[in-house]
Amino acid sequence: MAGPTLLFASNIDDPAPWQALFARERPDVAFRVFPDLGDPADITHALVWRIPDGVLASLPNLKAVFSLGAGIDQIIRDPAFPREKPLFRLVDGGLREQMTEYALYGVLHWHRQMGRYGEQQARGEWRMLEAIHPSQRTVGVMGLGVFGSDIAAKLVALGFNVIGWSRTPKQIAGVESFVGEAGLDAFLARAEVLVNILPLTDETRGILGAKLFDRLPGGGALVHLGRGGHLVEADLVAALDAGRLDWAMLDVFPSEPLPAESPLWRHPRVFVTPHIAAQPVSTAAESAIIGSFNRFERGEEPVGRVDLSVGY
């Protein structure tokens, strides 16, 4: 009996290191790179970041799909995605540490007023601004999964007052938890700095819009490293211009790359990064994915299985 056949498909990743990894660790696995499907009936597994709609559904013997990143929205947006097949996202691969670094940088940048000091430097102005203790800052973390929980815990360790909002109750030392729609107003009313690390679902699409910004205390900051579909760009610009928000650090956008005509590029209170909050570290990502592949092949449950009923 022929061994497994893996289809690799990505519009941003070089297949060569992954082909070398499987040749070294699993020489029994035939490795194909999209669009070279060969006989589609041979393909048993797919390692994917992005693939044209309908391709996965055309593979009659597909057993499982593995995402090359933590995100799976770009995969399941395919209307023909075979929802009966197990889908696994990349949980580790060095992503958690990078997400936390990004979030902490954003919070600390605003908390320590580095933007203001940058403005003063441009004017040649030497002036100390009032210092504020972290315990006097309330940071709200939206989304308390693997990444959000780590961000919240690290913010607690830095001395911030931390609150969290999630779909289901979470227990994190030092973090006050708010749950569901019933808890959202109370959460937002206290979130001086808002860190968004939510998954993208029908319920969270467009959540970073005027209705949410109007419920914030005012004059605070947004650190957005969740999903591009969360953000309503025009509403964010309006909130910044009106003083509902003082500053925003954004890593993900509804349209990527961020269009050249977007006002976010030039807004003085916006810091744009090109979807780099978490980039898979090659050795860690390779270890995580080959481990998940091997566990699945042994009949064990890999980490990171996506529950399509909730979208993550």
Side-chain angles (χ1 to χ4, degrees):
M1 179 180 294
T5 296
L6 178 76
L7 176 65
F8 180 96
S10 175
N11 62 331
I12 58 174
D13 299 280
D14 181 1
W18 294 99
Q19 189 163 19
L21 170 71
F22 276 86
R24 182 175 68 250
E25 301 291 336
R26 289 295 306 267
D28 60 314
V29 175
F31 193 97
R32 295 181 186 170
V33 179
F34 183 81
D36 178 18
L37 297 180
D39 183 351
D42 294 340
I43 297 169
T44 54
H45 303 75
L47 179 56
V48 175
W49 175 249
R50 185 164 290 165
I51 192 168
D53 290 355
V55 174
L56 294 173
S58 73
L59 308 176
N61 295 314
L62 184 67
K63 295 180 181 179
V65 180
F66 299 87
S67 173
L68 281 158
I72 47 86
D73 312 320
Q74 74 287 353
I75 299 173
I76 64 173
R77 70 178 54 167
D78 175 0
F81 178 78
R83 299 178 70 87
E84 74 281 3
K85 305 298 183 184
L87 170 63
F88 302 96
R89 63 187 180 89
L90 182 60
V91 172
D92 196 357
L95 302 181
R96 181 174 58 185
E97 293 85 353
Q98 291 182 72
M99 285 285 198
T100 298
E101 290 169 358
Y102 188 98
L104 296 185
Y105 175 83
V107 172
L108 290 170
H109 180 99
W110 185 78
H111 167 64
R112 292 302 305 270
Q113 305 182 79
M114 293 303 173
R116 298 287 194 275
Y117 284 118
E119 293 168 2
Q120 290 184 185
Q121 178 181 349
R123 297 191 298 266
E125 180 180 350
W126 181 279
R127 182 167 65 92
M128 295 181 184
L129 303 175
E130 181 183 2
I132 298 175
H133 194 273
S135 64
Q136 295 177 274
R137 297 282 199 204
T138 298
V139 182
V141 180
M142 297 182 74
L144 295 175
V146 172
F147 299 137
S149 296
D150 192 58
I151 290 168
K154 296 298 183 1
L155 287 166
V156 169
L158 288 173
F160 289 97
N161 180 36
V162 183
I163 59 177
W165 182 74
S166 53
R167 185 178 63 88
T168 57
K170 303 291 184 180
Q171 298 293 326
I172 304 169
V175 178
E176 184 179 354
S177 178
F178 294 80
V179 180
E181 187 63 33
L184 184 56
D185 280 351
F187 167 82
L188 292 172
R190 292 174 51 192
E192 190 175 7
V193 185
L194 188 66
V195 177
N196 175 50
I197 187 65
L198 287 167
L200 184 64
T201 66
D202 290 342
E203 290 73 28
T204 65
R205 188 177 299 277
I207 193 170
L208 298 179
K211 184 178 178 182
L212 180 145
F213 298 140
D214 286 346
R215 288 183 279 178
L216 294 172
L222 169 68
V223 180
H224 173 39
L225 63 164
R227 297 288 183 261
H230 292 144
L231 182 65
V232 182
E233 293 186 28
D235 289 357
L236 173 62
V237 171
L240 289 161
D241 290 344
R244 296 301 301 162
L245 280 169
D246 177 62
W247 183 75
M249 181 173 173
L250 312 171
D251 188 56
V252 288
F253 305 87
S255 179
E256 294 183 2
L258 184 63
E261 64 273 15
S262 171
L264 296 175
W265 282 117
R266 294 167 294 280
H267 199 287
R269 297 291 184 188
V270 174
F271 184 22
V272 169
T273 55
H275 205 144
I276 50 78
Q279 300 167 277
V281 178
S282 58
T283 54
E286 289 171 1
S287 177
I289 286 178
I290 199 74
S292 291
F293 182 91
N294 288 336
R295 280 190 292 273
F296 183 82
E297 282 293 279
R298 293 195 298 265
E300 302 169 6
E301 181 69 8
V303 297
R305 183 164 186 154
V306 174
D307 182 351
L308 292 175
S309 68
V310 296
Y312 57 92

